Amino acid sequence: MRGAPRRTRVGRALRTGLALLLGASAAPAASALDLEGTWYVLVHYQDSATHNPDAWRWEDRVWRFTRRGDDLEWTEWPIVVLDDEEGRFERLGSNRQSRRLVAWEPTEQQLADIRNGLQVNSRGVKIKTLQASADDGAWKSAGATSAGSAGSAVMLSYVEDWSIRDAGGTPRFRRDDSLSGGMAETMDGSTEYRTEEIRDDGRELVGSYQRDGTQVGRFRMIRSGETETPRGSGLTQEQRLMQMFSSQVGLNLSADQIRALSEGRVTPGVEVTEEERTTVRRQIRDSVEQAFRQQDQDPRRFAPQIESLTRQIEKQIFEEGKTLEEVRRMLGAGELLP
């Protein structure tokens, strides 16, 4: 494992900008890790919050780090497409597919695909601009609110902060998120990828992974070629717009409803009055429409898609028993789409 740069070296790197990303120090340049470029990230984890906590699960994504002047742009694509999908998914009813409950590892053919460059779906893509911190040498984002107003009692605000520490040594990638409302209890979460070993002359990173203290496991990060849109996807501009908006929807429920849903009191089999359901449905629709207005788009142009997304969110809450936190994750990952 490579050691972290000394504080004096970090200070020198901050004065040069680009040198910070490359881990500049008095050591030879070949010893520094260069994060800039595209990486494939594979995670194996166990989830203590599920009905099967001993099962191993997997997820993957693509990260790209790009210098923009003195800033560092971090792009994440949560949906990855391989030419050969062997071993990754299993077929469920109605032609739906689900990740297999295994610690899936790519074959040699799949590894070659990863290294050559992967296809990525634009659904759920996130981009953050990070700035170098003079205090501790880390890269940090400013955070952003997805919807709502922090000062309103009936609106939810969602903020994500991304950071990278020791970018030129053994990087620690961290994502902190917060979901809050004016009269509701704040729900905080964090995800951390902590590098423990660098392999293959800086082309592969491995280390520990944790999400909210319930998902715990390992990650593997492999340098990849340039990304491309899935071949033959045929997405129109309108469809791509809908994918983007789906991940930006907030939920402006009342304080009592926020508290009830957050505590998981709305579960399958629990009777909810039609009046309560109608009220929540209306407020969900208002949230979806607000996401369009924030992008200077007229919601009336997308009435069918808004209705579809509203029904899906409503179903997850009332029929599937999902909490607000779970629905928020699904929206952020682009799993709910008209």
Side-chain angles (χ1 to χ4, degrees):
M1 183 179 298
R2 304 175 193 258
R6 295 195 303 249
R7 183 173 297 275
T8 56
R9 294 176 179 172
V10 171
R12 188 181 307 120
L14 280 169
R15 290 192 295 270
T16 62
L18 177 61
L20 177 63
L21 177 60
L22 303 180
S25 69
S31 66
L33 175 67
D34 182 2
L35 274 183
E36 193 166 12
T38 304
W39 299 80
Y40 170 76
V41 183
L42 174 64
V43 178
H44 294 158
Y45 67 94
Q46 293 175 307
D47 192 340
S48 62
T50 65
H51 294 297
N52 192 359
D54 295 327
W56 280 98
R57 304 164 191 269
W58 68 271
E59 64 178 34
D60 59 357
R61 57 201 64 239
V62 169
W63 288 349
R64 184 174 66 198
F65 301 98
T66 308
R67 285 306 304 261
R68 303 292 185 194
D70 292 333
D71 299 332
L72 178 64
E73 184 179 271
W74 181 356
T75 303
E76 177 185 85
W77 289 274
I79 302 177
V80 182
V81 181
L82 273 67
D83 289 335
D84 176 13
E85 295 283 6
E86 178 184 356
R88 289 161 54 82
F89 301 97
E90 59 184 351
R91 182 72 65 180
L92 300 178
S94 304
N95 292 323
R96 293 175 55 217
Q97 287 196 116
S98 176
R99 287 186 178 91
R100 295 182 58 207
L101 293 184
V102 294
W104 171 80
E105 284 281 1
T107 64
E108 286 301 318
Q109 180 178 342
Q110 290 167 331
L111 272 175
D113 190 12
I114 289 168
R115 295 188 176 110
N116 287 336
L118 292 165
Q119 302 174 63
V120 291
N121 195 311
S122 61
R123 185 173 66 191
V125 63
K126 295 182 178 181
I127 302 174
K128 284 280 189 178
T129 299
L130 281 62
Q131 298 176 335
S133 168
D135 295 332
D136 53 14
W139 290 97
K140 298 179 180 179
S141 69
T145 302
S146 66
S149 171
S152 171
V154 295
M155 295 288 282
L156 287 180
S157 64
Y158 175 57
V159 178
E160 283 191 12
D161 291 302
W162 299 9
S163 65
I164 307 173
R165 297 183 182 275
D166 195 13
T170 51
R172 178 156 58 103
F173 308 92
R174 186 177 176 91
R175 315 271 284 272
D176 295 299
D177 54 75
S178 176
L179 183 69
S180 62
M183 296 177 60
E185 181 180 354
T186 298
M187 291 181 289
D188 296 319
S190 68
T191 305
E192 184 176 78
Y193 306 75
R194 185 185 291 265
T195 304
E196 297 173 351
E197 183 182 354
I198 298 177
R199 302 173 179 172
D200 195 17
D201 294 328
R203 289 186 287 270
E204 182 172 340
L205 283 60
V206 295
S208 63
Y209 165 85
Q210 75 83 22
R211 164 79 186 179
D212 297 341
T214 59
Q215 297 181 7
V216 178
R218 306 284 295 173
F219 82 95
R220 181 182 181 190
M221 187 167 160
I222 304 170
R223 187 171 287 282
S224 178
E226 288 299 314
T227 62
E228 61 177 302
T229 301
R231 293 180 285 275
S233 63
L235 291 179
T236 65
Q237 178 63 28
E238 182 174 299
Q239 289 170 324
R240 285 192 290 270
L241 196 64
M242 284 305 302
Q243 289 179 339
M244 178 182 69
F245 287 156
S246 295
S247 67
Q248 296 178 344
V249 174
L251 297 177
N252 58 335
L253 306 178
S254 71
D256 288 341
Q257 290 163 336
I258 291 170
R259 191 172 297 109
L261 296 177
S262 301
E263 294 171 357
R265 295 208 302 265
V266 177
T267 57
V270 175
E271 184 175 351
V272 179
T273 68
E274 185 58 32
E275 181 180 0
E276 290 174 324
R277 185 156 181 161
T278 299
T279 300
V280 172
R281 180 185 302 136
R282 183 179 62 253
Q283 293 174 324
I284 292 172
R285 183 182 291 106
D286 289 344
S287 299
V288 177
E289 291 179 349
Q290 179 65 19
F292 281 83
R293 294 190 184 96
Q294 289 177 341
Q295 297 293 327
D296 296 325
Q297 297 292 330
D298 186 351
R300 292 174 295 184
R301 289 183 52 213
F302 300 93
Q305 294 94 330
I306 289 174
E307 179 65 22
S308 173
L309 189 56
T310 298
R311 295 286 182 177
Q312 289 185 63
I313 296 173
E314 177 191 1
K315 178 180 179 182
Q316 294 301 321
I317 292 174
F318 287 106
E319 298 178 21
E320 302 296 334
K322 294 289 194 299
T323 65
L324 279 181
E325 173 69 9
E326 291 170 320
V327 172
R328 188 268 299 168
R329 289 183 187 176
M330 295 175 72
L331 287 167
E335 296 176 10
L336 298 180
L337 186 69

